[in-house]
Amino acid sequence: MNADVSARLAWPDDASTMARIQVAAWHANYAELIPAAELEALDPAQLAERWAMAISSPKEARMRVLVALERADVRGFTLVHPSYDPDSDQVADGEIGEFIVDPEHQREGHGSRLLQAAIDTLSADKFTRAVWWIGSTDDALRRFISESGWEPDGAHRELAAEDGSTIKQIRLHTSLG
């Protein structure tokens, strides 16, 4: 029996589930990188409101939120948009700005489906290259996207947490042409 799985553009009604998944994923993936107080301060209602606005009133015409579904249940989501990096071309370079699969439903194909939907969406929006910032120590995510044809492009950055600690990231890229 095949599961009923798909990916589609997100609807505003998906926002509260997306926020719940985001909080769970951040706790699972960033507990060693982000101070506990910052993780505990995540407000699902506030995140849901932000996601609903991003879905219903995106800041950019080419900003899209996509969800991975199992039947009618959201299992993950991604945000794609033009890359705002100083060395990027906002016309040609798209970015995967957020990519989260529910920790309880990983390794079920949702990530692959979501990544393909993101690539298809970026391509449909006429981007010719995609970039994705990932944690420098996130070996599982790096392996997953490297197996999909992404490679480091040499760029790196550090994001500051409220307590002054930093999260190091590297940028990967792939051609969409």
Side-chain angles (χ1 to χ4, degrees), residues 132-155:
W132 189 348
W133 288 97
I134 66 167
S136 62
T137 59
D138 193 340
D139 295 335
L141 179 59
R142 186 173 182 170
R143 186 171 35 259
F144 168 68
I145 61 178
S146 293
E147 289 171 358
S148 299
W150 295 69
E151 299 177 340
D153 69 3

Side-chain angles (χ1 to χ4, degrees), residues 41-155:
L42 291 173
D43 179 359
Q46 187 177 52
L47 290 171
E49 187 176 312
R50 287 183 189 160
W51 282 118
M53 286 299 298
I55 294 164
S56 61
S57 301
K59 294 178 183 176
E60 289 263 349
R62 296 188 300 167
M63 177 180 282
R64 312 245 192 263
V65 181
L66 306 160
V67 292
L69 300 171
E70 182 174 357
R71 292 178 183 78
D73 298 323
V74 174
R75 299 298 190 213
F77 64 93
T78 188
L79 170 69
V80 297
H81 54 78
S83 174
Y84 305 115
D85 293 337
D87 62 343
S88 290
D89 176 344
Q90 289 185 15
V91 173
D93 297 337
E95 180 173 338
I96 293 180
E98 188 74 71
F99 189 93
I100 295 177
V101 175
D102 188 332
E104 294 181 13
H105 295 281
Q106 292 181 351
R107 304 218 178 275
E108 296 175 3
H110 302 297
S112 297
R113 213 170 5 272
L114 201 53
L115 179 55
Q116 188 59 56
I119 295 298
D120 290 348
T121 300
L122 290 166
S123 294
D125 281 340
K126 307 292 189 229
F127 291 107
T128 56
R129 182 176 89 112
V131 298
W132 189 348
W133 288 97
I134 66 167
S136 62
T137 59
D138 193 340
D139 295 335
L141 179 59
R142 186 173 182 170
R143 186 171 35 259
F144 168 68
I145 61 178
S146 293
E147 289 171 358
S148 299
W150 295 69
E151 299 177 340
D153 69 3

